[in-house]
């Protein structure tokens, strides 16, 4: 295989893994947060705020991963 084909393959696999990891991370975050909100409705605001901050951090890491994959494909 050509080096560019390997770079495209690596970038595609990397982008897929980043998207999968971000989806799993947010899913593992949101499930317990919803359960906690259902068990203690008075704490729902604090739980929601923490969940949104953590989800934003996960998405930020995923975005960096995707940028790295795109940079691999460009070279």
């Amino acid at each position: 295989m050509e080096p560019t084909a390997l770079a495209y393959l690596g970038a595609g696999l990397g982008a897929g893994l980043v998207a999968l990891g971000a989806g799993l991370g947010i899913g593992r975050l949101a499930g317990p947060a919803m359960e906690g909100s259902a068990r203690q409705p008075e704490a729902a605001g604090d739980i929601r705020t923490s969940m949104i901050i953590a989800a934003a951090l996960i998405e930020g890491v995923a975005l960096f991963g995707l940028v790295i994959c795109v940079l691999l494909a460009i070279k």
Side-chain angles (χ1 to χ4, degrees):
M1 291 180 84
E2 286 183 42
T4 56
L6 286 176
Y8 292 145
L9 178 67
L13 287 175
L17 287 174
V18 165
L20 181 69
L24 287 174
I26 291 175
R28 289 184 52 113
L29 171 72
M34 293 297 109
E35 185 178 329
S37 294
R39 288 179 187 241
Q40 290 186 336
E42 65 273 2
D46 293 335
I47 293 171
R48 185 181 312 116
T49 301
S50 299
M51 183 186 71
I52 289 172
I53 291 171
L57 291 172
I58 292 170
E59 287 294 325
V61 169
L63 181 64
F64 284 131
L66 289 175
V67 167
I68 290 171
C69 291
V70 168
L71 290 176
L72 274 177
I74 290 173
K75 282 198 168 214

